[in-house]
Amino acid sequence: MVLTTHILDVANGKPGNGIEIDLFIWKGEQRVFLKSVVTNQDGRVDQPLLMTEELEAGQYEFCFYTGAYFRQTQSDQQASPFLETIPVRFYIHNANEHYHIPLIISPWSYQVYRGS
């Protein structure tokens, strides 16, 4: 059906807004760029990343570019955050299902899961 994501910043207790995300699909050993988006004030993307007609079974990858976000939100303004880019590879087995991939972040860790 669709592919969606959102980002929650648990260290600051708010959505991860203004974070750039790139989406790729893996074709064999080659990573193919699909699109780039930026999270809104709610930590979400305004539109699904892929709609029904674009979804296909296969391996995908998100690259969440959290470095700039952490530089803006951290009080110590570290020049180089611990988590600059968070790559997440996942597999879509059934293109007729909704795949929601939330990312929970802090300056030092992250968690990702298949949501609903």
Side-chain angles (χ1 to χ4, degrees):
M1 292 179 26
V2 296
L3 172 64
T4 58
T5 189
H6 76 274
I7 303 174
L8 299 172
D9 177 351
V10 294
N12 294 299
K14 64 179 191 172
N17 65 310
I19 297 175
E20 183 179 350
I21 305 166
D22 284 347
L23 175 63
F24 301 87
I25 188 169
W26 283 85
K27 299 285 188 178
E29 295 297 312
Q30 182 152 10
R31 186 173 80 159
V32 178
F33 175 81
L34 295 177
K35 65 175 57 176
S36 184
V37 295
V38 177
T39 57
N40 61 25
Q41 291 297 107
D42 196 31
R44 298 178 183 276
V45 178
D46 291 330
Q47 300 291 323
L49 284 107
L50 295 177
M51 300 295 288
T52 302
E53 61 277 0
E54 301 169 304
L55 271 177
E56 61 183 86
Q59 183 174 244
Y60 291 80
E61 182 175 335
F62 280 132
C63 284
F64 296 95
Y65 299 104
T66 57
Y69 172 80
F70 287 129
R71 279 190 288 280
Q72 292 173 347
T73 60
Q74 296 304 111
S75 58
D76 56 7
Q77 298 292 310
Q78 294 178 0
S80 183
F82 180 66
L83 294 173
E84 185 69 39
T85 304
I86 300 172
V88 175
R89 280 196 199 178
F90 57 97
Y91 199 91
I92 290 181
H93 294 279
N94 183 349
N96 293 317
E97 295 181 10
H98 181 159
Y99 285 80
H100 183 63
I101 316 291
L103 178 70
I104 299 171
I105 57 173
S106 83
W108 308 277
S109 66
Y110 68 93
Q111 182 177 12
V112 66
Y113 61 97
R114 181 174 177 192
S116 57

